[in-house]
Amino acid sequence: TLSAVFTAVLVGTTAHGHMMMNLPVPFNPEKASTFPIEAPGGRFPYPCQGMTEVAYRTSVIAGQTTLVNFTGAAPHGGGSCQFGVNYQGEPYTDNPDDWKTIYTVIGGCPAEITATPGNLEDPEHFRGLDSDGRPDAVHCGDDKGLNCIRQFNIPIPAGLPNGDATFAWVWYNKITADELYMICAPITVTGGSELEEGASFVGELPSMFLANIPGFANCTTSMTGEHGVFNIPNPGKYGIQLIEPDPAAAGNCPVAPPAEF
């Protein structure tokens, strides 16, 4: 029966029932997981779950936007996220200082959920498995819809240097207290700055905030509070606040002042 099939799918969802970025195309797209990341040495370690195989390198143009899309049926109420770049290493380094923030979204990333307890695994919103067997929910087609998976057009700063880099999405969801998600994609930047000027620009960007990795990051966020939206510290100058953050969601991490985008 349909209900039996749906129940079987949800059993599988417990193994892959979170979220991942699918555009830009990530490293190891057939293996990239919707699991949260772990400390270096773990199964899905920081950074980038340890994925490094390039299946497709996305071209992005400095001064324009790039489409970011997601796969998953458990956006955990949404949350806050950052998008960043790493120009160091082949393809990237594991030094947190090398991951530079280019855009921050406070609340509503990658969804804003009002119809369910925080996920989209019910029959009304669930749409089946992707080609790699990951559960997926209905998509909004924009960055404003409710009870669907949003997509974002992320601005690529004009000051970025031309050349190959790694693009990253980091996510602090709304309804779990101690998880961090990170998916990375190989990109090539065009239309940007020459190397010396661009390196100076990147050096002035804030590093992506890092928490919720036991034994590696030094603080843990919380799901307590009225909203559960974490106000990511030092978000940089580029971003948007979609939902008012709650200071209680910071847990024992720094309570950030209101962002000034």
Side-chain angles (χ1 to χ4, degrees), residues 143-167:
D143 59 1
K144 300 177 179 63
L146 300 177
N147 305 312
C148 49
I149 306 302
R150 292 173 170 174
Q151 63 185 33
F152 296 88
N153 287 298
I154 299 302
I156 304 299
L160 289 185
N162 295 322
D164 291 347
T166 294
F167 181 91

Side-chain angles (χ1 to χ4, degrees), residues 76-246:
H76 293 338
S80 298
C81 64
Q82 289 191 305
F83 302 90
V85 291
N86 186 329
Y87 276 87
Q88 306 300 317
E90 297 180 359
Y92 53 77
T93 58
D94 59 4
N95 182 349
D97 292 339
D98 291 338
W99 294 94
K100 298 297 187 179
T101 301
I102 60 173
Y103 201 79
T104 298
V105 179
I106 303 297
C109 180
E112 184 175 346
I113 307 300
T114 63
T116 70
N119 294 323
L120 298 171
E121 298 166 323
D122 59 289
E124 180 182 354
H125 298 98
F126 188 78
R127 72 174 192 179
L129 305 180
D130 73 0
S131 59
D132 293 308
R134 304 180 187 95
D136 202 12
V138 295
H139 287 233
C140 306
D142 59 30
D143 59 1
K144 300 177 179 63
L146 300 177
N147 305 312
C148 49
I149 306 302
R150 292 173 170 174
Q151 63 185 33
F152 296 88
N153 287 298
I154 299 302
I156 304 299
L160 289 185
N162 295 322
D164 291 347
T166 294
F167 181 91
W169 168 66
V170 168
W171 174 45
Y172 295 92
N173 74 71
K174 185 177 176 181
I175 63 175
T176 62
D178 57 358
E179 292 181 341
L180 173 65
Y181 295 80
M182 185 179 192
I183 296 286
C184 304
I187 62 171
T188 297
V189 179
T190 62
S193 302
E194 295 304 318
L195 185 60
E196 184 174 347
E197 180 185 356
S200 176
F201 176 85
V202 170
E204 294 177 359
L205 294 172
S207 297
M208 301 179 80
F209 187 73
L210 196 62
N212 298 347
I213 309 178
F216 187 75
N218 60 8
C219 72
T220 303
T221 59
S222 172
M223 66 177 180
T224 60
E226 181 181 357
H227 303 296
V229 171
F230 177 47
N231 193 21
I232 297 177
N234 199 14
K237 297 185 297 183
Y238 311 104
I240 188 171
Q241 179 176 297
L242 299 176
I243 299 176
E244 182 181 356
D246 192 329

